Amino acid sequence: MAEAQHVVDLLREAGMAPDKWTYTSLVKGFGRLADWVGVRLALQEMEREGIQPNRATFHVILADLMLHNQNDEAEILVGFMVTHGPRPSTRTFSILLHHHSESGHFERAKQVLELMRSQGLEPDAGMFHQLIMNYCRHNQPKKAEQLLRAMIEDGRELLPGHFDTLIDHWSKLGRWRRVRGW
């Protein structure tokens, strides 16, 4: 990351000041390397320059925390966003949901949905697709089907991919009767 810092120095030499996107890129680079000290230093430098991290800055940190299985730290970061800002968005919760469901941590995924709803946000069709896909990936197609049925009953937006994923899974298991009996 010394090279990245060198580019920031070069930017200053050219008479330009780093902006929130420059710092977000630095934060992202440090996060990819799981260099949490570097992330913290970049955020502190950002603060010294009078630049507030925005939601995108927090999203790159969140994604990197989840990438490196720092689940508790990621949830602390979301808690910070809830109390101090910037306010979490659907994307914020989607990052958490994706990782938890992909990892088979469906209880944590449900907690993410509950926290999201407590913030006045509703999961979108893409988030439900993540859940359906990951239930199937973890060989829990009945839970995927239950979720799909609940979505139908609740009048939620449905995508063809919701059904395609479940059909594909049942067919891989040779359960064509289950597919036809939908």
Side-chain angles (χ1 to χ4, degrees):
M1 282 303 297
E3 294 85 359
Q5 188 61 51
H6 175 72
V7 173
V8 173
D9 294 340
L10 188 60
L11 180 75
R12 286 187 176 114
E13 284 177 30
M16 300 170 69
D19 61 12
K20 63 184 168 194
W21 301 112
T22 308
Y23 286 112
T24 298
S25 294
L26 274 175
V27 165
K28 185 176 186 175
F30 286 123
R32 281 184 183 155
L33 299 172
D35 181 350
W36 310 120
V37 171
V39 167
R40 191 171 294 115
L41 290 173
L43 289 171
Q44 288 171 349
E45 185 175 333
M46 201 174 176
E47 195 174 297
R48 275 193 310 277
E49 295 290 329
I51 301 170
Q52 289 296 316
N54 61 9
R55 197 176 288 139
T57 308
F58 284 101
H59 285 175
V60 298
I61 297 168
L62 187 60
D64 287 328
L65 286 168
M66 297 307 286
L67 176 69
H68 295 288
N69 294 311
Q70 303 293 313
N71 299 336
D72 294 335
E73 290 80 359
E75 290 173 7
I76 289 168
L77 180 63
V78 172
F80 178 87
M81 291 174 74
V82 166
T83 56
H84 300 292
R87 187 171 180 260
S89 65
T90 301
R91 176 74 181 127
T92 308
F93 293 106
S94 181
I95 293 167
L96 287 173
L97 183 76
H98 174 75
H99 177 77
H100 288 321
S101 66
E102 190 174 71
S103 302
H105 300 127
F106 294 106
E107 283 306 310
R108 279 189 117 151
K110 286 179 187 177
Q111 292 169 355
V112 168
L113 293 175
E114 290 169 12
L115 178 60
M116 182 179 186
R117 287 183 175 119
S118 77
Q119 295 301 302
L121 298 170
E122 282 295 318
D124 60 22
M127 294 174 82
F128 283 113
H129 189 248
Q130 286 179 26
L131 283 171
I132 291 168
M133 189 171 53
N134 286 316
Y135 273 133
C136 289
R137 183 176 288 142
H138 288 277
N139 206 25
Q140 297 183 41
K142 288 184 180 181
K143 287 192 177 188
E145 186 176 328
Q146 289 169 353
L147 177 59
L148 194 49
R149 287 186 183 281
M151 290 172 65
I152 292 168
E153 289 172 17
D154 292 346
R156 294 208 173 266
E157 178 186 4
L158 298 169
L159 301 174
H162 293 140
F163 298 92
D164 298 346
T165 299
L166 194 54
I167 289 169
D168 185 54
H169 186 78
W170 284 122
S171 68
K172 284 179 185 173
L173 297 175
R175 306 283 283 280
W176 280 104
R177 269 185 278 188
R178 187 86 180 165
V179 172
R180 287 193 308 256
W182 178 260

